[in-house]
Amino acid sequence: RNITAMNQGQVVLSAGGLGMILANQFAQGYDTLADENVLPSSSVDYLASAAIKLYLSSTANPVAHIGFRGTVLGTSPTPSIVYFSSRGPSRQGTGVLKPDITGPGVNVLAAWPFQVGPPSAPVLPGPTFNIISGTSMSTPHLAGIAALIKSKHPDWSPAAIKSAMMTTADITDRSGNPILNEQRVAANLFATGAGHVNPMKAADPGLVYDITPQDYIGYLCSMYTSQQVSVIARRPIDCLTTVVISDRLLNYPSISVAFPASWNSTAPIVVRRKVKNVGEVPSVYYAAIDMPSSTVSVDVYPRELEFIEANQEVIFSVYVWPRQSGAMVVQGALRWVSEKHTVRSPISVTFA
């Protein structure tokens, strides 16, 4: 059941309570949310909640004080992945890494046109702001950044804009440390995707991975029936007459490789990609591979990409060999590095 903090507060208030402490369960970890309520309340993380419960069970007359000390800025770790953020991998399409990217979505303070607080609160005059968390906050951040990129590059496709956002995303927090999850453990690609969106870098990515609508249709036909794809595309699609594209050939900004249990360990899985130069010319990009060498072997050909024209496209291939390490998931990245740009594609390798 969806029992909100306000629902809990109303129960406490009706029982004669003067205040309330909202204690996290283990699954919520260190994440705390700001919610409106009908009485003074404080949300505490799991570590603090365990300490409070220990105090309550060991003290004859426990007391508590809730004091507002003002807004605290510059807290760490920021950003981090909240407990309710959807995790990958994709069960339907293991060849496409999910999630794609992460953005601001927790305790977002903004203007608000509706009533805030319990039904008994006066509508007018009332608060003109609210603090909201969830996909409903992260989505407009990402959409707004996409709109900004579109305004600067009106000829870019949605796939190119998405690529720009993904390949320039931050993989560290504001302190320069790995992005953490709700348990204060380094989050993997199934939590962060390509990383935390960086609007300034996304506006000038250097290279983009572009995908046409027909490419998506071909990829969908590799997984679904014509009728199902027609529902998604909102037009009649005949997969029998469509060029089917496998996940290894879909020009996605991230790379996801899944080795079946029966795979020959001496043969690589080959992933092909094509990048378009939207940066300076002439320019040369050099490949850098960040993968644990003891678990998988990854190589790229060619290892240098040279561009002499604007919007020039170059194809490269990524070769992934499995090793007998016993690991179920191995994650890293491929970086194309020029004098000005770093174009990063996360790599996820899973073993059945």
Side-chain angles (χ1 to χ4, degrees), residues 43-269:
S43 177
V44 298
D45 61 42
Y46 177 73
L47 188 64
S49 70
I52 292 171
K53 291 174 183 177
L54 179 61
Y55 167 69
L56 292 174
S57 64
S58 61
T59 306
N61 297 298
V63 295
H65 171 77
I66 298 176
F68 178 64
R69 298 181 179 179
T71 301
V72 179
L73 301 176
T75 59
S76 290
T78 304
S80 63
I81 304 300
V82 70
Y83 69 92
F84 56 74
S85 182
S86 297
R87 289 345 194 236
S90 169
R91 296 182 180 180
Q92 183 65 32
T94 57
V96 174
L97 178 64
K98 290 296 177 178
D100 289 320
I101 195 170
T102 186
V106 178
N107 295 332
V108 177
L109 173 64
W112 190 255
F114 308 113
Q115 178 181 349
V116 177
S120 59
V123 177
L124 294 174
T128 57
F129 63 90
N130 202 355
I131 301 176
I132 300 295
S133 300
T135 307
S136 56
M137 293 295 100
S138 187
T139 299
H141 275 91
L142 273 292
I145 293 169
L148 286 174
I149 298 173
K150 184 68 173 179
S151 68
K152 182 177 181 180
H153 304 284
D155 58 330
W156 282 15
S157 68
I161 294 172
K162 180 177 183 177
S163 170
M165 295 167 69
M166 290 177 61
T167 59
T168 59
D170 293 330
I171 60 172
T172 57
D173 63 20
R174 60 193 304 271
S175 299
N177 299 314
I179 295 176
L180 304 181
N181 64 15
E182 71 279 358
Q183 302 296 342
R184 294 298 184 258
V185 176
N188 62 22
L189 298 181
F190 295 146
T192 64
H196 192 272
V197 65
N198 185 318
M200 297 297 292
K201 291 182 179 179
D204 183 22
L207 304 175
V208 294
Y209 297 79
D210 209 354
I211 305 176
T212 67
Q214 193 58 38
D215 291 337
Y216 278 117
I217 296 296
Y219 171 64
L220 291 172
C221 281
S222 71
M223 298 187 295
Y224 303 109
T225 67
S226 297
Q227 181 180 7
Q228 291 169 329
V229 177
S230 298
V231 172
I232 298 172
R234 299 183 181 181
R235 60 183 175 89
I237 300 294
D238 183 1
C239 287
L240 295 178
T241 60
T242 299
V243 177
V244 175
I245 298 177
S246 69
D247 49 24
R248 301 174 196 174
L249 300 180
L250 184 67
N251 203 37
Y252 217 71
S254 58
I255 297 172
S256 180
V257 173
F259 282 98
S262 58
W263 190 265
N264 182 351
S265 61
T266 62
I269 284 182

Side-chain angles (χ1 to χ4, degrees), residues 268-300:
I269 284 182
V270 183
V271 178
R272 192 183 71 183
R273 291 292 188 268
K274 179 170 62 178
V275 287
K276 178 189 293 186
N277 177 41
V278 293
E280 297 73 27
V281 288
S283 60
V284 180
Y285 287 79
Y286 301 91
I289 301 171
D290 306 320
M291 294 292 291
S293 58
S294 61
T295 51
V296 295
S297 178
V298 179
D299 201 2
V300 181

